[in-house]
Amino acid sequence: MTTFQLTLLICIIAVVVIAAIIVAVVRSRKKSAHSEQQTSHTAASPDAAASAGTGTATTSTASAAPEASTASAQEPASASTQSASGLETAAPTAPSPESPESSLSRLVRLRSRLSGSGNPFGKALFSILSRDNLSEADWEDVEDTLLLADVGADASEQIVDSLRSDARITGEKDPKAIRELLRERLLVAVGTDMDRSLAVTRPRDVDTANTDTLVPGVATHREPSVIIMVGVNGTGKTTTAGKLGRLLVADGKKVIMGAADTFRAAAAGQLETWGKRVGIEVVRSDHDGADPASVAFDAAERAKSEKADALIIDTAGRLQNKANLMDELGKIRRVIEKTLPVDEVLLVLDATTGQNGMSQARVFAQAIGITGVVLTKLDGSAKGGIVIAVQRELGVPVKLVGLGEGPDDLAVFDPASFVDGILG
C-alpha cells in the first residue's frame, strides 16, 4: 500500500469516528432536554394532578351517597366557605332589623323637646298674665302673642275673650295658679276631645268568614289599613312615611309601604332604606317615571295578600296650585279603593311655615280629603300655634308631630304633653 493510500484511509476513519461522536452527542442532548421538560411539567402542575384525583373521589362519593351530597347542597348560605387561599371565611349575613322606640317613650321625649325648644308661645302668655292689674294694653299683648304664634285671628280672639271673662285670672296672684288656669284654656283651644288615633291602632270589624281562627279577646283585622301621605315638596313627606312605618312596627304592626312618588328619582330608594332598617317590605316600580297609581295598586294587592296590618303610600310632593297634580292624588285614591278602603289621608305640613301652610291644607283637603295632619319640625319653631289654627280650619286633628331629625323623632300628638311643653 502506498503512502497516499494509507493517508487516505486514515482520513476516512477519522471522519467516521468524528461523525459517530457528533451523533452520540446530539442524541444525548435530546434525551436530556426531553427529561427536563417532563420534570418541569410535573412540577408545574401538582394542583392539576391533585384536582384530577379529587374529582374522581368526589364523583365516587356522589354516586355512592347521593343523599349526603343533596343534604350538603341544602345547607344554609350562612355556613362557612373556603376561599381560593384555602382559608375558611364566614359568609355575610343580612343585618337584623332595628328595634324602634316605643310610643310611650316618645311621649316623654315630646314633652322634653318642646320645653327645651325655646318656643316663646306659652311662656310669653304666662309672663303677661302674671302682671298685676292687667290693663287693656296687656290684653292686646296677649292677643299679639297668639297671632305671632300662628294661632290665627279667630282663635286668638276667642282665647283672649275666654281669659278675660274668667275672674280668677284678674284676681289671681299665685304664679302656679295662673299657670294652671292658662293651661286649662290652652287645652280647650288645642282640643282634648278629638280622636287622634290612627285607624290601624283601633279595633277592626271581625272577619266572620274566618271564625275558626278567632282568638278570644283579640281583635282581628279583616283588611290592611291604608294610609296615604300627601303634601308639598320639602315638608319631609317621604321621611315622615318612613318614620311612621317605624312607629307602627314599634307597636307590633306588620307594615308594607308603597313608593308611589315616581317623579323624584331618589324617593323610592329613600323609602326602601327606611324599610330595610326595620324589616318593612317596600313595593316600588323598576323604573323612574312610572304611573304612581299603578304602583299604589300593586302595593294594595301585596298588602292584602300578605295580610299586613297597614299599608303606607308615599306620594310625590306637589304644589297646591297645580290642578293636574292634585287630580292625580284623587286617581291614586280611587285605584287603591278598588282593592282596599282608604282609612287615612295624612297631610304633612312644615310647622315653621305657619299660616303659609294653611293655604296648602285647604287645597289638599278639597282634592283628596284629609283625615289628619302631621306637623314636622314642631320642636324647632316658634309657630306652635299652627296646631290650633290648622285644626280649626280643616276640622281634622293633628295626629302626629315631628320632634327632630332622628329616626324615632315622630310621635302621636298628645295635647297635654304639647301644652305642658310650651308652658315649660
Side-chain angles (χ1 to χ4, degrees):
M1 182 178 293
T2 63
T3 303
F4 173 76
Q5 291 176 330
L6 181 61
T7 302
L8 181 60
L9 180 61
I10 292 173
C11 288
I12 293 172
I13 294 173
V15 170
V16 172
V17 171
I18 292 172
I21 293 173
I22 291 173
V23 171
V25 170
V26 170
R27 288 179 176 175
S28 175
R29 289 184 177 181
K30 285 184 177 180
K31 289 182 179 181
S32 177
H34 182 68
S35 177
E36 288 178 0
Q37 184 177 3
Q38 286 185 332
T39 304
S40 174
H41 177 72
T42 303
S45 57
D47 293 342
S51 175
T54 304
T56 303
T58 302
T59 303
S60 173
T61 304
S63 63
E67 296 84 357
S69 176
T70 303
S72 176
Q74 293 177 345
E75 289 181 357
S78 59
S80 61
T81 58
Q82 189 171 22
S83 65
S85 61
L87 297 177
E88 289 191 355
T89 57
T93 56
S96 56
E98 298 176 7
S99 297
E101 185 179 6
S102 67
S103 299
L104 181 60
S105 175
R106 293 173 190 233
L107 285 177
V108 174
R109 285 198 300 113
L110 167 62
R111 186 181 288 107
S112 175
R113 287 280 180 90
L114 287 172
S115 62
S117 66
N119 190 328
F121 173 27
K123 296 174 184 177
L125 289 178
F126 177 69
S127 176
I128 297 169
L129 295 176
S130 297
R131 299 171 186 171
D132 292 333
N133 302 318
L134 293 174
S135 64
E136 191 64 30
D138 292 330
W139 286 113
E140 289 180 0
D141 286 344
V142 171
E143 188 167 0
D144 289 343
T145 299
L146 292 170
L147 289 172
L148 289 172
D150 282 321
V151 172
D154 292 342
S156 297
E157 183 178 355
Q158 181 178 346
I159 293 173
V160 170
D161 290 344
S162 175
L163 289 170
R164 293 189 72 165
S165 64
D166 194 332
R168 295 176 298 172
I169 289 290
T170 56
E172 186 60 64
K173 302 298 182 183
D174 183 9
K176 290 184 178 180
I178 294 175
R179 183 187 184 283
E180 187 58 32
L181 293 173
L182 178 57
R183 182 178 185 274
E184 289 178 11
R185 292 293 177 268
L186 289 177
L187 279 174
V188 171
V190 172
T192 57
D193 56 346
M194 304 182 82
D195 183 6
R196 302 179 189 276
S197 64
L198 296 174
V200 67
T201 64
R202 299 193 290 265
R204 305 294 298 273
D205 293 336
V206 172
D207 185 359
T208 54
N210 295 295
T211 53
D212 292 340
T213 62
L214 297 182
V215 178
V218 177
T220 61
H221 289 191
R222 183 169 54 193
E223 292 178 323
S225 177
V226 179
I227 305 170
I228 302 178
M229 311 294 291
V230 300
V232 301
N233 293 313
T235 57
K237 180 175 45 53
T238 300
T239 297
T240 301
K243 290 183 178 181
L244 175 57
R246 291 180 65 94
L247 179 62
L248 295 178
V249 168
D251 290 338
K253 306 298 183 185
K254 180 178 180 179
V255 181
I256 288 179
M257 296 193 290
D261 181 356
T262 59
F263 293 98
R264 187 165 62 92
Q270 183 182 354
L271 199 65
E272 272 191 324
T273 299
W274 280 103
K276 286 179 181 177
R277 295 174 68 174
V278 289
I280 295 177
E281 179 184 353
V282 175
V283 177
R284 58 171 294 180
S285 172
D286 57 1
H287 63 278
D288 295 332
D291 179 16
S294 175
V295 175
F297 179 79
D298 290 343
E301 290 284 338
R302 184 67 175 170
K304 188 172 184 177
S305 66
E306 291 293 320
K307 294 182 172 56
D309 295 305
L311 169 63
I312 302 173
I313 300 292
D314 179 37
T315 62
R318 59 203 72 219
L319 296 175
Q320 70 274 15
N321 58 358
K322 299 295 184 181
N324 59 327
L325 294 179
M326 298 303 292
D327 290 343
E328 187 180 75
L329 284 178
K331 177 184 176 183
I332 290 174
R333 177 167 189 160
R334 291 192 299 272
V335 167
I336 292 174
E337 288 179 334
K338 292 180 179 179
T339 303
L340 295 170
V342 174
D343 294 311
E344 302 275 2
V345 179
L346 299 181
L347 174 64
V348 182
L349 288 178
D350 183 341
T352 61
T353 61
Q355 287 294 315
N356 244 356
M358 295 307 302
S359 60
Q360 302 172 12
R362 295 186 195 100
V363 178
F364 276 99
Q366 294 170 0
I368 190 173
I370 304 296
T371 62
V373 176
V374 183
L375 282 178
T376 62
K377 307 176 187 177
L378 186 63
D379 61 317
S381 168
K383 308 286 187 180
I386 189 66
V387 171
I388 299 172
V390 74
Q391 291 183 155
R392 288 176 63 92
E393 178 69 28
L394 300 180
V396 298
V398 171
K399 293 195 171 188
L400 300 162
V401 289
L403 311 173
E405 300 299 325
D408 293 321
D409 289 341
L410 183 74
V412 175
F413 181 72
D414 178 65
S417 296
F418 173 72
V419 171
D420 290 340
I422 62 177
L423 285 175

